[in-house]
Amino acid sequence: MGAKAENGPKPPPPVSSPPPLKALVKLKTKQQELLIRAAALALIYVLAFAIRLFSVLRYESMIHEFDPYFNYRTTLFLTRNGFYEFWNWFDSESWYPLGRIIGGTLYPGLMVTAALIYRALRFLTFAVHIREVCVLTAPFFASNTTLVAYFFGKEIWDAGAGLVAAALIAICPGYISRSVAGSYDNEGVAIFALLFTFYLFVKAVNTGSLSWSLASAFGYFYMVSAWGGYVFIINLIPLYVLVLLVTGRYSMRLYVAYNCMYVLGMMLAMQIRFVGFQHVQSGEHMAAMGVFFLMQVFYFLYWVKGMLNDTKLFQSFLQITLTCAIGVGTLALGIGMASGYISPWTGRFYSLLDPTYAKDHIPIIASVSEHQPTAWSSFMFDFHILLILFPAGLYFCFKRLSDATIFIVMYGLTSMYFASVMVRLILVAAPAVCLISAIAISATIKNLTTLIRKKSKAALTVSSKATSNLKASAKALLDQSLPFQRNGAIAVLVGAFYLLSRYAIHCTWVTSEAYSSPSIVLAARGAHGGRVIFDDYREAYYWLRQNTPPDAKVMSWWDYGYQITAMGNRTVIVDNNTWNNTHIATVGRAMSSYEHEAYEIMQSLDVDYVLVVFGGLTGYSSDDINKFLWMVRIGGGVFPVIKEPDYLVNGEYRVDKGAAPKMLNCLMYKLSYYRFGEVTTEYGKPTGYDRARGVEIGNKDIKLEYLEEAFTTSNWIIRIYKVKPPKNRW
Amino acid sequence: MAIVSRFAFFLLWISVLSSTTHSELVISRIDRRVDLSSHIVRALFSLKVENVGSKVVSEVLLAFPNMQAKNLAAIKTLYNEGRGKVKASSVSLPTTVVEPEGMPPELTFYSVSLPKGLEKGGTVSLDILAIFTHSLQPFPEEITQADGQLVVYQDSAYYLSPYTVKVQTLGIRLPGGRVESYTKFPNAKLVDSEITYGPFENFPAFSYSPVIVHFENNYPFAVAHELVREIEISHWGNVQITEHYNLVHGGAKTKGGFSRLDYQARASVRGASSFNHLIFRLPPRAHSIYYRDEIGNISTSHFWGDSRKTQLEIEPRFPIFGGWKTSFTIGYGLPLQDFLFKVDGKRMLNITFGSPMDEVIVDNLIVKVVLPEGSNGISASVPFPTKQGEEIKYSHLDIVGRPVLVLEKSNVVPEHNLYFQVYYHFNNLSLLGEPVMLISGFFLLFVACIVYMHTDMSISKSSASYLAKIQLEEVQATVQQIQNIINQCLAVHDKLDASLRDLSRTGDVQSCKIARKTADAQLKELVKELKPLATFLHHSPQASHIWPKVEELVAKEKDMQDKMFLRHSTVVDCFEKKLGGREIENRIASQQQKLAAVRQEVDDLLEFLDEI
């Protein structure tokens, strides 16, 4: 606006000329503020990107973990073969012999985004590799999220809160954990899409404008295309609308915003093959539909109210209509459920509402560490002071209730609940926590500074009079206020800055130490303090890629499936897309059977190589022996031949001499410990001392009859065995 | 062994032929030294040729069985001037494939053109270096991890030549390990891992007698199926070399499993035939070295460098056993001034052709020289025949693409690591193209931003919201102006204050009065300016919420002016009455307080307006 002011008639040159600099400062406070805000935002934007590059600095520009490898592989396919090929891709390299229809079983948002960025860069004549684009997609979107956080904060509170929110979310460890460079996963873009959709929706509710709600529908579409977490949006927004209706905040703005967003968003979402008609057929999406109809009833009632001037008549009409509407709604839902048209809630959804559900019913979900309930320490680790500021922010929100603050309060509370149910949902809570904390910080600091500035200004004005005799009157002015108020304010301000700087330090430390590891390459401190790199995963995958027949089938536990197909370029039996529990259970059964039984299973699956992860030599604890109980459990869930107690001794899981005989002779044990009995791992310990579990193994004399060792990596972390062809029968 | 029987068949053929050949040349002496210590076979023939015929002869024919000829990677003939004693000046002679008439098709002939015709009775001594690849056949073809690698080498005990050979010897140098067997001849002996045959005397042309040596050779049989070397020139001062290797262990295939335990415990025994490190000798001052493959960086490499050479030692991800493959990429940068020169207006790149890796056989070498965008008139001079082609490469900020010269050669050995030259024209101005492009890109971006900020993009100029927006902007501009004026008023007040202070210091009443007069005039002027703005604001519907505040502000300011002048006149009065300082203070104390309060209110109001 300041710029516009210049276009107006120029004020005549001041007769008494004040110093020009001062005039500049005085004249353009607005512009100055804009400049500072823009500069701060730009710095935050860069910071959010830069802090996520720790992983590249510490390791290299590579794809991290498990799922990102699948995303990378599909993106590669997309850029090489085009969108239609990608959409119709039947992947025969995974889930052998079943295969997987990739186009219909994935959220394409991430891959399409990366491919578009890649195309754009290529168009601008930047010859980048698609891997670099994939590696940097998550930081790029994290940067964009800070912008959205700024605008969101501005919408619900003020520009200051927006800036603080942007700064907080830029370095919040809860968000960084899933968006470091290389973490090429759906969440990377989905959090941006989630916050953007929310922002646009709140904007639509605040303005009642069709264009904003249209934008939020498209935001929702992008979210649906990117991540399964869109279910959170499609349940939170109806819940929010319901709360507004109940608290008597119904307005035409809300009506326009919700209806447009829901109808258009739903139709757009149906374009994603993986989602399909779930919006009208699945139980998880029914709340949105119910609220949609409720809105129509509300609108109708308002209209009737306007027509009827008789309150009594209206009351009875209201009763009848409401009863009818609710009755019809429940009836429709009941019929839908009974006829199977509307599917009941899925296990994953149940496990969110009831944290104990997965443990009893879906071991495959419970077996994933990121699906465990959250510990207090990880809350503290991921949020640090935000955890304390969160309630304070809630207080400020309640103090100034508006449609927007109600939304952020609801988003904060629900996501906090989900975050405590599942570790990985801390990610969803992070933006809300940052926004609410930002309100707390911004409001507090604003109050404090106004307090201080008032005082200092009074003092300044007085002192500028410079006549010594005025001291008394100035003193009198000061004495009118509370004692020590100013000092107290300064002390609190200093404390706040101390806390914020601690937060910044904590975030940097967490990012560099905890969240930047690609988990493919392991790093440890050597005996002399030097950095030791264990690159065994890639060693093994590259060996598979180079030195096995191109059509070889590799059997491993499902965790490594995506990596083997992406890096090893070989067919796998099961992978991280755990869509077929029976198939996984078959692999689990093979791993927990005796060798000759397992051989039959492997023959039936055409397995050529078996890959196991073993950490006994290096002390790497997330290996297959530690995951073995889940294999038994999942295998036993489908094939009752496998009984968990057979592998336990007095309910205890052990691998030493006291282990159960079945345990000592099952395939997984044999493959992990084959010839390990001859190795001295630690000085002063007997041979075959397992450093990951701290015991001497129980079966040192392992003979393999149907398999032979094909390759073991330099630190023994990955061991690959070749399945021998069947013996000749004559 | 099938090969041996084929050689026997050969022998038959040759004996038939030998009677028909007649030549003017006779080889009076030949010493053959065959070096088998690595997997590249290097044979050095020192021969003395004598012309016994009547005609002047200008070329000498060399014969190789096709079996050997297809593995012949390079052949080089050195001609020694002077008669045996002074061998300082040796000249390389052109050696080409020829197909003389009447010769058996199982033989391939190479012709050495002598610098001057050989007269009757004249002799000439030649040194011929022939390099063969893939000539050591592993036998057995499959070994286990623990076995050493045994290979078989075949040759003829007698020099196969279209000429009669008078005296000849053959020496075969072995790497020094176990020797399983070798063809025994009466005068063959094995001394210190060197087998010598001969001397044999007076054998007719095309004499052949197979010799087979079966011995252990654990030298790394590193064979690159394909090597793509990309040499990219940047005139900003860098030559970037990227080499993509497709490496295989060319020795005996490994059978049975691979046991890491055995390998770790006794790598030299249980894994003798494998190799796990490769050495690259890079040009001096190589920098920015990387070593990676399709799935990422490989961290196991070491690097030394001094002013004369740079040595890079890399380890593949896993030890390479017989038949195992790996592929990787290494890249490094070199300073431009070491390799690029200017030769009569043209630029000349002078760089080595082959792989910098030690003792590697490259089955198919593709050298791509990527020249900067805008180069033309490209030509290459390579010391041996290559297949040449051109293509276009697009890199950062390229519009027409960079011209790429593609040179292809098969069966490359370290001896091919010679300098070759690429000539091209390049205008230095083209260097600026890309920075200018970037700069103009950013410039356009900023221009676009400025244009966007300063143009009115609304579609409907008469819609209510548009008009409201315009009005709002006007109101804001007006408020800004009012603020400016008030600020100026405040400045005038400060001036007045200052004049009072001067007065208390100097007692100059007159100047103080003048100051007051000017201040009065200024303030009047300002108030006059303020009036139309205030009325505009008052009548503007958009300003309804701001108006009360502005009104208050103007009123307060007026109030402040009054108070100011009042105080001023009081003080001046006092001075004129020559009252004491304390007296004056007492008089104006209350005014002072009121003034401070009003000033505070004005400041608050200004601040409030600021925040709108």
Side-chain angles (χ1 to χ4, degrees), chain B residues 49 339 576:
Chain B
V49 185
F339 299 93
E576 279 177 340

Side-chain angles (χ1 to χ4, degrees), chain A residues 12 15 27 30 60 125 127 131 457 469 535 538-539 542-543 546-547 675 678 709 712 714 716, chain B residues 257-262 264 294-295 297 317 325 327 396-397 480 484 522 529 585 607 610 612:
Chain A
V15 188
L27 285 177
K30 274 267 157 50
E60 60 181 275
T125 69
R131 185 190 58 247
K457 188 167 264 175
N469 57 325
D535 204 356
R538 288 194 293 185
E539 183 182 341
Y542 208 60
W543 184 85
Q546 294 285 339
N547 296 309
R675 296 197 68 187
E678 302 166 35
E709 187 179 1
T712 297
S714 47
W716 292 50
Chain B
F258 161 67
S259 166
R260 175 66 69 169
L261 181 65
D262 291 342
Q264 271 174 344
E294 289 145 295
I295 61 171
N297 179 48
R317 287 194 188 274
K325 287 182 293 184
S327 66
H396 296 295
L397 298 171
Q480 187 90 38
N484 287 346
Q522 278 175 10
E529 269 174 39
E585 269 175 28
E607 201 168 303
D610 247 3
I612 286 169

Side-chain angles (χ1 to χ4, degrees), chain A residues 375-392:
Chain A
W376 265 111
S377 58
S378 55
F379 266 120
M380 207 55 210
F381 197 67
D382 279 356
F383 288 138
H384 201 239
I385 58 162
L386 303 187
L387 206 57
I388 304 154
L389 290 170
F390 181 68

Side-chain angles (χ1 to χ4, degrees), chain A residues 333-478:
Chain A
L333 197 67
I335 290 173
M337 296 281 254
S339 63
Y341 180 75
I342 297 172
S343 64
W345 289 352
T346 59
R348 272 170 196 266
F349 200 71
Y350 266 122
S351 65
L352 273 181
L353 300 181
D354 174 11
T356 56
Y357 181 83
K359 211 168 225 170
D360 302 334
H361 297 89
I362 334 169
I364 205 148
I365 289 182
S367 75
V368 180
S369 64
E370 56 182 28
H371 291 164
Q372 306 302 321
T374 316
W376 265 111
S377 58
S378 55
F379 266 120
M380 207 55 210
F381 197 67
D382 279 356
F383 288 138
H384 201 239
I385 58 162
L386 303 187
L387 206 57
I388 304 154
L389 290 170
F390 181 68
L394 286 182
Y395 163 76
F396 280 106
C397 286
F398 275 114
K399 241 178 102 181
R400 201 172 99 180
L401 268 189
S402 66
D403 289 356
T405 45
I406 290 179
F407 182 83
I408 195 69
V409 166
M410 289 193 55
Y411 173 27
L413 291 179
T414 47
S415 62
M416 213 50 176
Y417 168 74
F418 290 128
S420 52
V421 171
M422 242 188 220
V423 177
R424 78 168 175 159
L425 292 182
I426 280 189
L427 180 72
V428 176
V433 171
C434 286
L435 276 165
I436 292 176
S437 308
I439 290 174
I441 293 171
S442 173
T444 312
I445 290 184
K446 204 163 193 178
N447 288 346
L448 291 176
T449 42
T450 40
L451 212 64
I452 293 169
R453 275 180 68 183
K454 217 169 233 159
K455 296 299 159 201
S456 59
K457 188 167 264 175
L460 206 82
T461 342
V462 172
S463 67
S464 74
K465 302 295 172 195
T467 27
S468 55
N469 57 325
L470 279 180
K471 270 180 194 156
S473 63
K475 237 177 222 165
L477 252 173
L478 267 182

Side-chain angles (χ1 to χ4, degrees), chain B residues 13-258:
Chain B
W13 242 108
I14 288 161
S15 54
V16 174
L17 274 163
S18 56
S19 56
T20 62
T21 48
H22 51 84
S23 172
E24 287 95 6
L25 293 180
V26 164
I27 296 174
S28 52
R29 185 178 176 87
I30 176 164
D31 294 312
R32 288 187 293 153
R33 295 271 165 276
V34 180
D35 183 2
L36 300 182
S37 54
S38 84
H39 64 141
I40 300 173
V41 176
R42 292 185 173 84
L44 181 69
F45 308 154
S46 316
L47 47 91
K48 199 178 269 178
V49 185
E50 192 181 347
N51 190 354
V52 292
S54 50
K55 287 183 212 156
V56 175
V57 178
S58 64
E59 63 173 14
V60 178
L61 285 182
L62 307 172
F64 296 98
N66 283 353
M67 294 291 297
Q68 276 188 6
K70 82 172 178 355
N71 291 330
L72 183 69
I75 184 162
K76 205 157 93 179
T77 311
L78 291 176
Y79 163 69
N80 297 315
E81 300 263 5
R83 299 219 159 212
K85 283 185 182 171
V86 192
K87 285 193 173 180
S89 56
S90 52
V91 183
S92 177
L93 299 179
T95 312
T96 48
V97 184
V98 288
E99 283 176 15
E101 279 176 35
M103 293 295 179
E106 276 75 15
L107 296 178
T108 307
F109 288 91
Y110 283 83
S111 148
V112 178
S113 315
L114 299 175
K116 53 179 187 270
L118 197 58
E119 301 284 328
K120 180 177 185 296
T123 60
V124 65
S125 41
L126 300 169
D127 282 339
I128 293 159
L129 175 68
I131 296 161
F132 302 94
T133 57
H134 303 291
S135 297
L136 300 180
Q137 297 296 323
F139 187 82
E141 289 187 354
E142 285 194 336
I143 55 172
T144 66
Q145 181 189 347
D147 297 337
Q149 178 172 266
L150 295 172
V151 293
V152 169
Y153 176 72
Q154 309 185 9
D155 207 336
S156 165
Y158 313 131
Y159 179 55
L160 187 62
S161 167
Y163 313 117
T164 309
V165 181
K166 281 184 178 158
V167 181
Q168 59 177 312
T169 58
L170 170 66
I172 297 175
R173 201 182 152 66
L174 302 178
R178 188 155 60 100
V179 178
E180 198 78 355
S181 69
Y182 62 98
T183 309
K184 303 273 194 306
F185 264 81
N187 46 2
K189 54 180 181 290
L190 171 65
V191 181
D192 275 351
S193 68
E194 178 152 0
I195 305 170
T196 49
Y197 290 94
F200 305 107
E201 283 175 21
N202 288 331
F203 273 88
F206 299 114
S207 298
Y208 191 92
S209 169
V211 164
I212 293 173
V213 189
H214 191 198
F215 61 101
E216 184 175 357
N217 185 346
N218 284 323
Y219 196 86
F221 275 40
V223 178
H225 274 328
E226 189 180 73
L227 165 62
V228 180
R229 289 188 86 208
E230 197 179 271
I231 301 166
E232 186 163 354
I233 297 163
S234 158
H235 277 256
W236 293 100
N238 193 33
V239 179
Q240 179 67 37
I241 300 188
T242 316
E243 298 175 350
H244 305 278
Y245 286 87
N246 229 325
L247 206 69
V248 71
H249 188 302
K253 301 233 179 325
T254 183
K255 70 175 178 197
F258 161 67

